[in-house]
Amino acid sequence: QVRLVESGGGSVEAGGSLRLSCAASGFQYRNYCMGWFRQVPGKQREGVAFIDADGKTSYADFVKGRFTVSLEHIKITSEDLSKNTVYLQMSALKPEDSAMYYCAAVVGVTALQALGRDPHYGMDYWGKGTTVAISS
């Protein structure tokens, strides 16, 4: 069973940096993407950044040049039960970056496709979220 657990959220001043982590376990897939959505109360959940198993990335325009997504993949056994950690390094943070950040994973699409998917049905797995608060 796949499980995603986020960490690293917190409160910083505008201009500061944070790094989010999402530890995934139980993966048995080779063609997957992992990444991040974010959501503020009353608004739609929006894609932030995704990375696929080959290291190809895709970013929302509002984070390009400020956020970096990366992936650490560790093969555990010969059955390819894998442990993956996806990171989101966030720099030059703005108050409008404040949101709940959710880790997500989807199988069988590119990072660009994953970023554009409707969060209501487009992801296969979700974490529970971590809060990011940026003060001005």
Side-chain angles (χ1 to χ4, degrees), residues 48-62:
V48 176
F50 269 83
I51 185 168
D52 67 21
D54 294 325
K56 297 186 181 67
T57 59
S58 186
Y59 294 91
D61 286 343
F62 53 79

Side-chain angles (χ1 to χ4, degrees), residues 49-120:
F50 269 83
I51 185 168
D52 67 21
D54 294 325
K56 297 186 181 67
T57 59
S58 186
Y59 294 91
D61 286 343
F62 53 79
V63 301
K64 282 181 180 177
R66 300 189 298 124
F67 291 12
T68 302
V69 63
S70 58
L71 178 68
E72 180 183 51
H73 172 89
I74 302 173
K75 182 177 177 179
I76 303 298
T77 71
S78 60
E79 289 78 29
D80 201 31
L81 285 175
S82 302
K83 183 174 180 179
N84 304 283
T85 301
V86 63
Y87 300 96
L88 186 67
Q89 179 66 48
M90 305 185 294
S91 302
L93 283 161
K94 306 174 183 179
E96 52 264 44
D97 293 319
S98 299
M100 182 72 81
Y101 282 71
Y102 294 92
C103 179
V106 59
V107 178
V109 300
T110 67
L112 180 61
Q113 291 169 334
L115 185 66
R117 283 201 153 192
D118 188 316
H120 290 101

Side-chain angles (χ1 to χ4, degrees), residues 10-56:
S11 300
V12 296
E13 292 184 350
S17 299
L18 281 173
R19 189 175 83 153
L20 306 183
S21 301
C22 173
S25 58
F27 261 62
Q28 299 184 52
Y29 312 103
R30 289 181 173 85
N31 58 333
Y32 62 89
C33 287
M34 292 183 67
W36 300 88
F37 280 80
R38 71 185 188 185
Q39 188 172 25
V40 297
K43 290 194 174 182
Q44 176 86 324
R45 194 171 292 192
E46 59 184 1
V48 176
F50 269 83
I51 185 168
D52 67 21
D54 294 325
K56 297 186 181 67

Side-chain angles (χ1 to χ4, degrees), residues 3-7 22 36 45 100-104 125-131:
R3 187 165 173 252
L4 306 180
V5 179
E6 301 100 332
S7 61
C22 173
W36 300 88
R45 194 171 292 192
M100 182 72 81
Y101 282 71
Y102 294 92
C103 179
Y125 306 101
W126 287 98
K128 294 185 177 180
T130 186
T131 302

